[in-house]
Amino acid sequence: MQTRLKNAADNTPTERMTLRWVYVYVALIPLVNWSFAHVPTVAMPDGGAWSPMAIVTGLVLVFRDFAQREVHHYIILPLMIGIGISYFMAPPAIALASGMAFAASELIDYVIFTVSKRPFSSRVMLSTMLSAPVDSALFLIIADIAVPGVFSTLTLITSVASKLFGAYVVYLLIKRREREA
């Protein structure tokens, strides 16, 4: 789906806008939530469990940054759509935990993308560095209420590290593209 944006001053087309990252972002939210209920986890020595999908969750945080470039501050609407779909694909406790965690991390991301004038690659990495710990902690604490044993210190650490790893890979790709441009 493509639309033409109009220049407010003279009502002429100024740029093309695609929504491909918004669609990816909306699709990944319920996929990640579904996976937390269905993908086997790895037992942690402290009794917690690490989900390999935590890496994908880190990528969701990065795809949100790409989607935000497409729709700017309207990114909250795709977030709400993704969370709404999650309630049909994942247990309600997981969807609720995810919704609250994504909302908190979205607020952090919103502030960084609104205030910072750094290159896109730096904003992606900075927003993930700040939002991944909040997102992970909120998700695990709320999910642990419904599914006891989900939260543990090692689970939190590995979840944050996984998200940062996924974001770092994307950061390097974006950084290389920025240098080439």
Side-chain angles (χ1 to χ4, degrees), residues 4-78:
R4 281 202 174 268
L5 299 176
K6 301 277 185 183
N7 183 332
D10 61 7
N11 206 27
T12 59
T14 57
E15 64 179 277
R16 284 212 176 267
M17 181 175 77
T18 63
L19 300 176
R20 70 175 173 237
W21 295 113
V22 170
Y23 296 136
V24 171
Y25 177 57
V26 168
L28 282 176
I29 293 171
L31 173 68
V32 166
N33 290 332
W34 174 87
S35 72
F36 275 104
H38 296 88
V39 172
T41 58
V42 176
M44 301 301 290
D46 67 349
W50 174 74
S51 173
M53 292 304 289
I55 294 170
V56 177
T57 305
L59 294 175
V60 173
L61 299 177
V62 172
F63 287 132
R64 175 192 57 209
D65 297 337
F66 283 95
Q68 188 166 348
R69 287 178 71 185
E70 292 177 343
V71 295
H72 307 287
H73 299 307
Y74 296 104
I75 192 66
I76 197 73
L77 181 60

Side-chain angles (χ1 to χ4, degrees), residues 25 29 60-61 63-65 67-68 72-77 79 99-114 127 131 134-135:
Y25 177 57
I29 293 171
V60 173
L61 299 177
F63 287 132
R64 175 192 57 209
D65 297 337
Q68 188 166 348
H72 307 287
H73 299 307
Y74 296 104
I75 192 66
I76 197 73
L77 181 60
L79 171 65
M100 295 181 79
F102 270 124
S105 66
E106 179 58 44
L107 180 61
I108 292 167
D109 194 64
Y110 175 86
V111 169
I112 289 169
F113 272 77
T114 301
S127 69
S131 66
V134 172
D135 180 82

Side-chain angles (χ1 to χ4, degrees), residues 91-180:
I94 299 296
L96 174 66
S98 173
M100 295 181 79
F102 270 124
S105 66
E106 179 58 44
L107 180 61
I108 292 167
D109 194 64
Y110 175 86
V111 169
I112 289 169
F113 272 77
T114 301
V115 174
S116 177
K117 302 302 178 207
R118 292 174 176 239
F120 181 62
S121 60
S122 296
R123 287 183 286 161
V124 164
M125 198 63 220
L126 180 61
S127 69
T128 304
M129 287 171 56
L130 296 174
S131 66
V134 172
D135 180 82
S136 296
L138 272 176
F139 176 79
L140 292 170
I141 290 167
I142 296 167
D144 191 66
I145 294 168
V147 184
V150 170
F151 181 84
S152 77
T153 303
L154 283 177
T155 303
L156 177 59
I157 291 168
T158 56
S159 179
V160 172
S162 299
K163 290 174 184 177
L164 291 175
F165 174 76
Y168 185 67
V169 169
V170 175
Y171 161 79
L172 292 174
L173 294 170
I174 297 169
K175 186 88 170 150
R176 187 173 84 208
R177 181 175 272 187
E178 287 172 347
R179 277 190 301 239
E180 292 171 358

